[in-house]
Amino acid sequence: MTHEHEFAEEFENVPDSALPALHSVSIGRDLLFARRDLHVHNVVSGQTMLRQHAVVRGDLLNRNLFVPPGQVVHEAPLERPPLMQGSFGAGAIALLGRAFSGRRTAALNLLDTVLADDQKIFELFPDWDHPDVTRIPSDPGTGYLLNLRGVLEPLGSQFHNQLDAYARRAHETGTFLVITATSHVWNRSGDGPNSPVRVITTGVPSALKIAHRRLSSDHKHPERAEWLSKPSGMFSDLLCDDAPPADAVRLAEIVLEANGPDHAEARDRFLGWENQINAWFGHADPEAPEKRALQISAAFFDGCSARTVIEAADALLAEPTLNWPTPRGGPLAGADSSERCLLADLHFAGDGTVSISKLRPGIDRALLQHLWHKRPPLVPVLTNWISAITRPGGLAADCLERLSQILLAVAESEGPGTVIALAHDWLRTGKARHSDLAIDLLDRLAIHPILGPAARKELGVWAKAHTWPERQRAVAAVCKGRLGTEYTSIALTRLRYVLDRARDPQVKDVATAALQELLVDPELSAPVLTSLVEWTGSHEADGLGRPPFLDVFATPEVDPLRSPAALLLSLDAANGETVRHLLRDGWRGIWRRRDLRAEASAVLGRWCDAASEGILPADAVEDVVAAVFTEEADALGDDLDRIIGGNSSFRTRLRARFVDVVRETAVRRTSGDTDCAA
């Protein structure tokens, strides 16, 4: 069955415009960068918390079109089940159920019920390669939903042990955590009445009741709810009891748009256009290939110009495997564009665009799913055809965004491996346009709610493959995009794989540029800087390699005001203190590497020049640069002279700061000698 909705966990989504504006705040030594979301970095632990996505409160239960499921022993009634009556106190609960069963909605409604109106709810996603409870925030009086949709691998014993400790603390601090997952992912047999984590296995709410409730609540056509139970009606037998809630809502929307209770095409739409596609492709017809090629082309390039659709169809017919003969007379033969589209049941718009889904919503996806399932020998022909027409200057070079969208739908149906292989082939061509298309497709896959975990895992494999630099470059490009924004920790890990494994200097430069781009995003500065400092410590320990911390600051900027240094050093007092703490740690680690001091002194010297000229804030630069003084308190070497040497008032101030550090160090050493003598 073809699903016309995007493959989200549930159909219930909160629009960005409805989310409240959040501001950057600081709580003690925890730094929160926030606009729409929160990214928390704990300086003491060195741990970056999972990104917190704000959830709108107040009307969750009223907006939902079905009631969340209750206990597994009986069907959920239409009133709130006992689970929703506030029996969940502060602590942690696991809400287990199959995918697409309404777990997310149940969890959000539960949190909405047990929390006071002025308390906040945040949704969290697994931005990790290995499950880690220590990254789950635990602010008092706050509700969290850890949504593990799309996760396939069991959480493991370490996660559960950590979660037990978290649950006990949460009970004491008044924190509410709900985790939604499948039983396979939860994979814990030791849960019992004494466990600090409460586990609820949910059933699936009645799909028929969901659809009936949606139709009954419609202010224009509430009577259409009766169509669902009309004997021998078109819509009476379409929902089984355990159908996903999203299917129930989808059917209700189709019923509301139907011409009447006996509208056969509306029924076919819900069933994935099986009858219509079989009418097009389900029989032998020696004259059908031309029409079918147009329909396939329109499915891939729905909404594009007629010229693109028709010429792409002709190119498909010309594929060697199909070998459709060119009509005698060429462009003068046959019907014109509008007539050819009409004969193929396509919509030809007045603006010259062609659509296969205008009259039959969702049939573009349904048709491609049919081809992959019912005509597998055609699949390699289609992939070769797509590669050919999307080359620079190709027939479909201007429709790459649409192609990327529809290929994502193919991945939803056939699994991500199908289109990842196609993206890989595009990268190997070495063509910029192909690379852009592959990167756009991987960008979409990497943050997909269901396909994302598998795609992100594959990107990790690609990042380590130094023998295929084109794949490493693609990983870096994806990491600086939406993956870096939504799954920052995972993106940073993959960038480090690239930097550690790449042998091509250009690949390292691309990965470093990706880090710089993430670093200048105010929402991401803290977690990115945290990782850079941690990597510096690991490089310092083994004495090998070049820490990326130095490279992200080593490239002189054309516009110093837009440099990473300018952004980080110009943050407000609260946020700036935390970031300067990280910068001091990073530069101190770099300075301990004598082989890197000359370069480090050159970078810090440029910072001091910029501070002297008023480009960078002098106080912040002084605070950061002084961190290396403790490593050079014995002598004024050439490297340090590059930083504090000079006649400007700022350099004079730095030298005074250095003298103070030398004196403090001498006092400590003298005190230590006296203590030893005693």
Side-chain angles (χ1 to χ4, degrees):
M1 182 180 296
T2 298
H3 296 282
E4 296 174 49
H5 61 84
E6 297 293 336
F7 267 56
E9 170 71 6
E10 272 78 45
F11 64 92
E12 190 68 31
N13 291 308
V14 179
D16 291 352
S17 59
L19 293 172
L22 299 173
H23 303 283
S24 299
V25 296
S26 180
I27 305 176
R29 296 189 66 84
D30 288 351
L31 177 68
L32 291 84
F33 281 101
R35 291 193 198 111
R36 167 183 166 181
D37 306 319
L38 298 178
H39 223 133
V40 186
H41 164 252
N42 186 288
V43 178
V44 177
S45 66
Q47 183 64 66
T48 303
M49 298 291 108
L50 297 178
R51 176 179 291 274
Q52 303 178 40
H53 299 262
V55 175
V56 174
R57 294 286 312 276
D59 62 345
L60 283 171
L61 281 168
N62 293 331
R63 289 193 305 108
N64 289 337
L65 303 177
F66 66 94
V67 174
Q71 286 77 7
V72 71
V73 295
H74 59 74
E75 183 184 31
L78 289 180
E79 67 274 4
R80 285 181 178 174
L83 174 62
M84 303 298 295
Q85 299 293 343
S87 57
F88 169 42
I93 184 171
L95 205 58
L96 308 183
R98 75 183 196 190
F100 309 110
S101 63
R103 299 171 309 188
R104 176 179 182 271
T105 302
L108 290 176
N109 284 336
L110 172 58
L111 289 169
D112 188 55
T113 302
V114 300
L115 289 168
D117 291 343
D118 60 344
Q119 293 176 316
K120 295 180 179 179
I121 299 175
F122 297 101
E123 188 168 13
L124 314 172
F125 298 101
D127 180 17
W128 53 45
D129 285 303
H130 303 288
D132 185 358
V133 175
T134 64
R135 298 191 54 202
I136 301 176
S138 56
D139 289 346
T142 304
Y144 299 100
L145 163 59
L146 176 59
N147 191 336
L148 299 182
R149 65 189 184 188
V151 175
L152 301 178
E153 298 178 355
L155 292 170
S157 58
Q158 180 178 354
F159 179 90
H160 289 296
N161 292 336
Q162 292 175 335
L163 186 61
D164 287 346
Y166 178 101
R168 294 186 181 96
R169 292 195 306 272
H171 181 73
E172 296 174 356
T173 60
T175 303
F176 298 79
L177 172 67
V178 179
I179 301 174
T180 56
T182 64
S183 298
H184 169 74
V185 170
W186 183 251
N187 192 31
R188 184 181 187 182
S189 59
D191 296 311
N194 297 323
S195 173
V197 181
R198 184 179 175 189
V199 178
I200 301 294
T201 302
T202 68
V204 181
S206 168
L208 185 60
K209 289 181 178 179
I210 294 170
H212 192 280
R213 181 180 178 185
R214 170 66 183 93
L215 292 170
S216 299
S217 64
D218 185 75
H219 67 282
K220 289 185 177 180
H221 302 291
E223 75 285 353
R224 295 196 175 192
E226 299 176 3
W227 295 4
L228 301 178
S229 55
K230 180 182 178 181
S232 303
M234 285 291 176
F235 308 108
S236 62
D237 60 346
L238 295 180
L239 290 174
C240 57
D241 287 339
D242 62 347
D247 278 3
V249 177
R250 189 167 64 91
L251 176 60
E253 298 302 323
I254 290 174
V255 168
L256 289 173
E257 296 177 12
N259 294 337
D262 299 319
H263 190 186
E265 190 173 78
R267 175 187 174 90
D268 194 31
R269 173 182 170 185
F270 179 78
L271 293 175
W273 297 105
E274 291 179 1
N275 291 335
Q276 182 61 69
I277 292 175
N278 285 332
W280 288 343
F281 286 79
H283 58 86
D285 181 355
E287 301 300 321
E290 186 173 3
K291 182 175 70 172
R292 290 171 178 171
L294 272 171
Q295 291 161 343
I296 293 171
S297 179
F300 276 105
F301 301 108
D302 191 80
C304 295
S305 69
R307 180 174 181 177
T308 296
V309 173
I310 291 173
E311 290 186 359
D314 291 340
L316 176 58
L317 290 168
E319 283 288 314
T321 303
L322 302 182
N323 196 29
W324 187 254
T326 302
R328 185 178 180 183
L332 292 177
D336 61 15
S337 297
S338 59
E339 183 65 18
R340 288 182 67 182
C341 291
L342 180 63
L343 292 173
D345 284 339
L346 304 179
H347 179 264
F348 190 96
D351 60 358
T353 59
V354 172
S355 173
I356 193 174
S357 63
K358 177 73 173 180
L359 302 177
R360 301 178 179 90
I363 200 170
D364 51 346
R365 295 181 174 213
L367 175 55
L368 295 182
Q369 181 176 332
H370 172 88
L371 297 177
W372 254 261
H373 286 178
K374 300 295 182 65
R375 294 179 181 263
L378 187 60
V379 172
V381 178
L382 293 177
T383 56
N384 290 336
W385 165 68
I386 292 170
S387 295
I389 63 177
T390 55
R391 69 182 186 275
L395 301 173
D398 296 330
C399 299
L400 299 186
E401 182 176 356
R402 161 62 191 179
L403 182 59
S404 182
Q405 292 172 351
I406 198 63
L407 287 176
L408 188 63
V410 172
E412 291 171 346
S413 171
E414 307 306 314
T418 302
V419 296
I420 288 177
L422 185 57
H424 177 262
D425 290 341
W426 284 332
L427 290 171
R428 298 196 71 171
T429 67
K431 303 293 186 181
R433 179 68 82 170
H434 278 162
S435 295
D436 291 344
L437 179 58
I439 290 167
D440 182 65
L441 183 56
L442 292 169
D443 177 71
R444 295 173 188 270
L445 279 173
I447 62 168
H448 192 278
I450 305 303
L451 306 176
R456 294 190 289 270
K457 185 175 181 179
E458 184 67 14
L459 288 175
V461 175
W462 285 21
K464 298 176 183 178
H466 62 82
T467 56
W468 292 17
E470 65 274 5
R471 295 201 307 187
Q472 290 183 313
R473 280 193 289 268
V475 171
V478 172
C479 287
K480 72 177 182 180
R482 286 179 291 182
L483 179 62
T485 301
E486 298 298 326
Y487 294 89
T488 308
S489 179
I490 288 177
L492 291 172
T493 300
R494 274 129 192 80
L495 285 173
R496 183 174 186 183
Y497 290 159
V498 172
L499 289 166
D500 286 347
R501 305 294 180 88
R503 297 179 180 176
D504 186 337
Q506 292 183 345
V507 172
K508 289 180 177 288
D509 290 343
V510 170
T512 300
L515 283 172
Q516 290 172 322
E517 193 160 332
L518 294 175
L519 189 60
V520 297
D521 184 335
E523 290 191 44
L524 306 179
S525 297
V528 174
L529 194 55
T530 298
S531 292
L532 291 173
V533 173
E534 290 173 352
W535 301 349
T536 299
S538 63
H539 281 82
E540 178 189 348
D542 58 32
L544 300 174
R546 180 183 174 88
F549 181 95
L550 177 58
D551 287 328
V552 298
F553 296 115
T555 304
E557 294 287 336
V558 176
D559 182 1
L561 293 175
R562 300 178 62 85
S563 67
L567 170 75
L568 297 174
L569 294 170
S570 300
L571 291 172
D572 59 60
N575 296 341
E577 179 185 354
T578 305
V579 168
R580 289 195 294 274
H581 176 97
L582 292 167
L583 287 172
R584 288 195 299 270
D585 284 350
W587 282 116
R588 193 177 291 115
I590 294 293
W591 204 262
R592 294 191 186 107
R593 290 275 301 272
R594 292 188 176 275
D595 57 318
L596 300 177
R597 284 189 181 180
E599 286 187 77
S601 64
V603 175
L604 293 177
R606 289 197 297 270
W607 286 19
C608 292
D609 291 339
S612 298
E613 297 168 7
I615 297 174
L616 294 180
D619 290 344
V621 172
E622 178 184 347
D623 191 28
V624 171
V625 169
V628 305
F629 291 170
T630 56
E631 306 297 325
E632 282 282 331
D634 291 332
L636 183 60
D638 291 340
D639 295 326
L640 193 58
D641 187 54
R642 292 189 185 94
I643 300 175
I644 64 176
N647 299 320
S648 70
S649 59
F650 177 74
R651 269 359 198 281
T652 301
R653 198 168 88 188
L654 271 182
R655 284 195 293 275
R657 178 79 173 260
F658 173 75
V659 171
D660 290 340
V661 171
V662 171
R663 288 172 177 167
E664 291 171 4
T665 303
V667 169
R668 285 197 302 271
R669 287 177 177 172
T670 301
S671 244
D673 293 342
T674 303
D675 292 341
C676 290

